[in-house]
Amino acid sequence: MIHLKDADGIASIKAAGRILRAALNAAGQAAEIGVSTNDLDEIVRSVIENAGARPAFKGYQGFPGNSCISVNEAVVHGIPSDSVLADGDIVSIDIGVFKSGYYADACETFTVGTVSENVLHLLDVTKTSLAKGIEQFKVGNRLGDISHAVQVYAEAHGFSVVRDLVGHGIGRALHEDPQVPNFGPPGMGPLLRPGMVLAIEPMINEGTDEVRTLADDWTVVTADGKASAHFEHTVALTDEGPVILTI
Ligand code: MG
């Protein structure tokens, strides 16, 4: 069941999203050669807690970090650790914030030092595919129009769309209905209505779309070891169109 949010609910998610953005910007700026993913996670924790909010992923189904930090071939759900970033790495920092009864969720992939041309292109395409999806989040469209727009853009540039992981509704729960795939035919699925709030989050791979989970039971990596990028926003649909709440 899709829970529609009123203006107060959307404002509360936006307040969580503002804190999230500050944490994401701070961690992203710190993502440099020689910095550990634990260091980045600590920045995320401190920014969120100092703002009077809670890192939503901490303890979620037992997750040990404050944020998910996924390097290179890691797609999502990487556990922060003492391993340090190296020249040419990419690092996806995925953050959830809980504040005043509501959640926000967003992710960005950052570069470390000098990254290969193809991986830079992957990041650019993934970020733009998210924008293409958000453009379709409008009254009268169906959910599949979002999914289709992401897929078409990513595949047109020679990259592949992860099938095993999808976006989601968000609000009083971190994960609500509906699921938001990054692939599929247009014109299908629920009608998009004002008050819907979605975490739209393309995960786009340099090589195969196939993924597997590491022995830590969390980290999802590409099956071929090639790079993966992940950009996510929490977005509300209003009468005036989509409003990004994590910008
Ligand atoms: Mg999410």
Side-chain angles (χ1 to χ4, degrees):
M1 175 184 170
I2 298 172
H3 298 287
L4 299 178
K5 283 79 185 176
D6 61 14
D8 285 348
I10 291 171
S12 294
I13 299 169
K14 190 172 185 177
R18 202 174 292 123
I19 296 166
L20 193 162
R21 176 52 47 185
L24 192 52
N25 286 350
Q29 276 178 10
E32 292 186 352
I33 297 166
V35 173
S36 77
T37 55
N38 267 338
D39 294 336
L40 301 181
D41 192 57
E42 175 55 23
I43 291 168
V44 170
R45 185 199 63 76
S46 66
V47 171
I48 293 171
E49 290 185 354
N50 289 341
R54 184 167 71 72
F57 299 164
K58 178 82 177 179
Y60 182 82
Q61 294 181 358
F63 186 76
N66 297 287
S67 56
C68 296
I69 304 188
S70 306
V71 179
N72 295 336
E73 75 278 10
V75 180
V76 288
H77 304 162
I79 301 173
S81 76
D82 289 332
S83 68
V84 297
L85 299 171
D87 191 20
D89 283 349
I90 55 170
V91 57
S92 301
I93 304 174
D94 191 353
I95 302 176
V97 169
F98 181 73
K99 167 103 174 141
S100 306
Y102 285 90
Y103 291 88
D105 190 355
C107 181
E108 229 172 273
T109 303
F110 299 92
T111 59
V112 180
T114 306
V115 170
S116 78
E117 281 292 318
N118 200 49
V119 169
L120 271 184
H121 189 216
L122 171 70
L123 265 53
D124 192 44
V125 166
T126 306
K127 189 174 188 176
T128 304
S129 75
L130 170 57
K132 297 284 182 190
I134 292 171
E135 265 175 33
Q136 295 301 315
F137 190 19
K138 55 188 181 188
V139 176
N141 271 6
R142 290 185 181 271
L143 189 72
D145 296 314
I146 298 173
S147 307
H148 188 69
V150 171
Q151 179 184 13
V152 164
Y153 188 81
E155 291 182 351
H157 289 83
F159 297 121
S160 69
V161 175
V162 173
R163 302 295 207 270
D164 289 4
L165 299 146
V166 297
H168 49 94
I170 184 167
R172 288 198 173 276
L174 181 57
H175 297 112
E176 297 184 355
D177 289 339
Q179 290 198 339
V180 185
N182 297 300
F183 58 93
M188 307 289 282
L191 268 173
L192 303 176
R193 298 170 56 191
M196 289 176 81
V197 180
L198 303 177
I200 304 173
E201 50 176 322
M203 290 150 271
I204 308 296
N205 292 352
E206 190 181 15
T208 179
D209 63 287
E210 285 176 41
V211 298
R212 63 187 178 90
T213 304
L214 296 184
D216 64 15
D217 279 338
W218 279 106
T219 313
V220 177
V221 298
T222 58
D224 60 6
K226 292 189 178 179
S228 183
H230 182 198
F231 284 81
E232 175 180 24
H233 274 307
T234 295
V235 189
L237 184 51
T238 72
D239 292 320
E240 284 76 47
V243 177
I244 299 173
L245 304 178
T246 44
I247 212 156

